[in-house]
Amino acid sequence: MKFRRSERLIDMTNYILEHPRQLISLTFFAERYGSAKSSISEDLAIIKETFEQRGIGTLQTVPGAAGGVKFHVKVSDEEARPIIDDLCGLIANPDRLLPGGYLYMTDILGDPSIVQKVGRILASAYSDAKIDVVMTVATKGIPLAYAVASQLNVPVVIVRRDSKVTEGSTVSINYVSGSTKRIQTMVLSKRSLEEGSNVLIVDDFMKAGGTVNGMISMLEEFKANVAGIAVLVEAEKIEERLVDEYLSLIKLSDVDVRDKKIKVSEGNYFRRRK
Amino acid sequence: MKFRRSERLIDMTNYILEHPRQLISLTFFAERYGSAKSSISEDLAIIKETFEQRGIGTLQTVPGAAGGVKFHVKVSDEEARPIIDDLCGLIANPDRLLPGGYLYMTDILGDPSIVQKVGRILASAYSDAKIDVVMTVATKGIPLAYAVASQLNVPVVIVRRDSKVTEGSTVSINYVSGSTKRIQTMVLSKRSLEEGSNVLIVDDFMKAGGTVNGMISMLEEFKANVAGIAVLVEAEKIEERLVDEYLSLIKLSDVDVRDKKIKVSEGNYFRRRK
């Protein structure tokens, strides 16, 4: 069966988007469509150009006999800014205020299209970095962690508050919650993380950073490396931040329970990202 | 700025894949590319044909002035079968055996590419159904629920074992675990689910169905409807199944702890799905 260029471009686009950060050889596509490698090369040049122009990502060309292309998600600042602005608007809605000054964010984190956009933005900051695993803590960070990990083509590892029979042997650590100063426990299945892994920590919310700090301690137990820390929302006005190097999309500057006002602004994403 | 057909096809493919079950008007694409609607119509016909031929999904054409196209994910049986077979092979690995006859599945559920494939298969069984929400229970079902929900373009609602301050007011129910017969509790944030919603329940594993049954009771509390139940793995050899109508990709027929043998086969997916 022969394929026209238009059909190849559509199918290749789908295939490439589904296989980020994986080397796809020219041979693979040539055989898939019964086409000459020279035609495939031309197709890929058109896809690369369009992906870059439309802010979808980049196609890295790997030369040589074993060569091919690798897709890296890249969200441009012009695309990221309105997404972050919209999120700020959503979060600033005073209906989110809960007793104790907490914010209801379940609807935002429950919307797969928002989660995927945030995942693409965060992943694009690390798409060239050496990341082997994304780590998060149950429960709220999980969807974001998967959204980032799927763009980086790495597995997700979930730290839990309690151990379960279906996790096998676990490693447990104690850590101090940054804001309430209480001692808490987190556990991770022993076989879920290999020694020496480069780990990107992802979470939905960071206050003083106690939980993130706990995950860093957990990585030490596993002799794994912190390759980055990325959160959706960071709370400002924290007396003592336990974590220094992190990326945040949104900053929660003030929650005024009495006047029902929530102040949010852009996080450090555009400044911090290299 | 004018776009060539090849560039339009690539960008449209990406856009359509990112917006499943949403009506995208011809006008939207015509303006996006500064092209005549007739050209866009031709582009869409090519995309529709390729999507159907390559088992990516279908493009439903909505006629009229307010018309356009809607993408529905459709995984063909020929594509689904090898994915399910591979998963059976992975799950049958005796290294997964844990004390008590439990199976370690964390690595499988931690792999975003597997989770997305499973999500596409399950979603394609419901892509024409009236689904407003996907519901799951923390923690292990969460990634699958998002993978299904993102293909169906609906939010995810997560039932928890315990209430948290960040969830606001909650509804709590007691239910009987099907296999251990113990009374357990689950809670759901009050504002997370609207009355009358059509809910697809998604989970990673179903034994006797106690947890799924608990979620059904929860839906009754919210006056919401069960639109479907889909699980990755069902355990066979259950004396009394609490749930009748469900879709499963994989069936766990027998776990022999002494001889370290795990028997798995295809679930009811190909039989049950309408």
Side-chain angles (χ1 to χ4, degrees), chain A residues 3 95 109-110 140 146 156 166, chain B residues 54 109-110 140 146 156 166:
Chain A
F3 288 82
D95 289 347
L109 296 169
K140 293 238 271 279
Y146 275 82
V156 176
T166 49
Chain B
R54 306 297 303 179
L109 296 169
K140 294 240 271 278
Y146 275 82
V156 176
T166 49

Side-chain angles (χ1 to χ4, degrees), chain A residues 25 47 60 115 126 249:
Chain A
S25 69
I47 293 175
Q60 179 196 345
V115 167
Y126 297 95
L249 290 198

Side-chain angles (χ1 to χ4, degrees), chain B residues 168-182:
Chain B
S169 315
T170 55
V171 172
S172 156
I173 63 150
N174 294 315
Y175 69 101
V176 181
S177 147
S179 37
T180 64
K181 304 279 182 207
R182 268 186 310 185

Side-chain angles (χ1 to χ4, degrees), chain B residues 27-247:
Chain B
T27 315
F28 171 81
F29 280 135
E31 284 170 3
R32 188 174 172 99
Y33 308 119
S35 305
K37 278 196 192 179
S38 56
S39 310
I40 299 294
S41 271
E42 286 167 30
D43 296 344
L44 289 170
I46 302 170
I47 292 175
K48 181 184 165 76
E49 200 196 323
T50 309
F51 273 20
E52 286 170 3
Q53 263 176 19
R54 306 297 303 179
I56 297 168
T58 59
L59 264 198
Q60 180 197 344
T61 311
V62 179
V69 290
K70 244 188 211 181
F71 169 62
H72 296 264
V73 65
K74 280 279 176 219
V75 180
S76 65
D77 287 4
E78 302 84 68
E79 198 196 340
R81 201 152 254 135
I83 296 172
I84 295 175
D85 285 350
D86 283 358
L87 275 170
C88 286
L90 272 176
I91 293 173
N93 182 341
D95 290 346
R96 302 199 168 277
L97 267 177
L98 295 172
Y102 291 96
L103 291 190
Y104 183 83
M105 300 253 297
T106 306
D107 57 333
I108 294 175
L109 296 169
D111 182 330
S113 74
I114 294 180
V115 168
Q116 267 170 7
K117 279 178 200 157
V118 171
R120 288 185 64 231
I121 297 175
L122 292 178
S124 73
Y126 298 95
S127 68
D128 302 324
K130 188 141 182 36
I131 309 276
D132 305 309
V133 175
V134 166
M135 174 185 261
T136 192
V137 69
T139 318
K140 294 240 271 278
I142 296 175
L144 269 184
Y146 275 82
V148 174
S150 69
Q151 295 291 348
L152 296 179
N153 183 35
V154 296
V156 176
V157 148
I158 302 170
V159 174
R160 307 174 60 108
R161 307 286 180 179
D162 51 350
S163 67
K164 285 203 75 170
V165 284
T166 49
E167 298 280 317
S169 315
T170 55
V171 172
S172 156
I173 63 150
N174 294 315
Y175 69 101
V176 181
S177 147
S179 37
T180 64
K181 304 279 182 207
R182 268 186 310 185
I183 295 279
Q184 308 214 20
T185 306
M186 52 171 76
V187 301
L188 181 59
S189 169
K190 245 187 171 169
R191 49 167 130 171
S192 67
L193 189 59
E194 270 175 56
E195 217 172 271
S197 301
N198 297 298
V199 181
L200 173 62
I201 294 174
V202 172
D203 211 352
D204 60 319
F205 198 89
M206 180 168 72
K207 259 177 141 167
T211 309
V212 168
N213 226 12
M215 285 193 263
I216 294 173
S217 307
M218 186 63 93
L219 291 182
E220 283 165 14
E221 289 293 329
F222 279 85
K223 298 199 174 74
N225 315 310
V226 185
I229 299 163
V231 299
L232 172 57
V233 182
E234 63 162 315
E236 218 189 28
K237 281 204 171 176
I238 295 299
E239 284 170 34
E240 193 190 0
R241 171 88 65 197
L242 300 168
V243 176
D244 277 337
E245 291 285 331
Y246 60 89
L247 215 59

Side-chain angles (χ1 to χ4, degrees), chain A residues 26 51 59 76 88-89 117 130 142 153-154 161 166 179 181 193 234 261 263:
Chain A
L26 291 191
F51 273 19
L59 264 197
S76 64
C88 286
K117 280 177 200 156
K130 189 142 178 37
I142 296 175
N153 184 35
V154 297
R161 307 287 179 178
T166 49
S179 37
K181 306 277 181 208
L193 189 59
E234 63 162 314
K261 281 218 170 113
K263 251 206 224 152

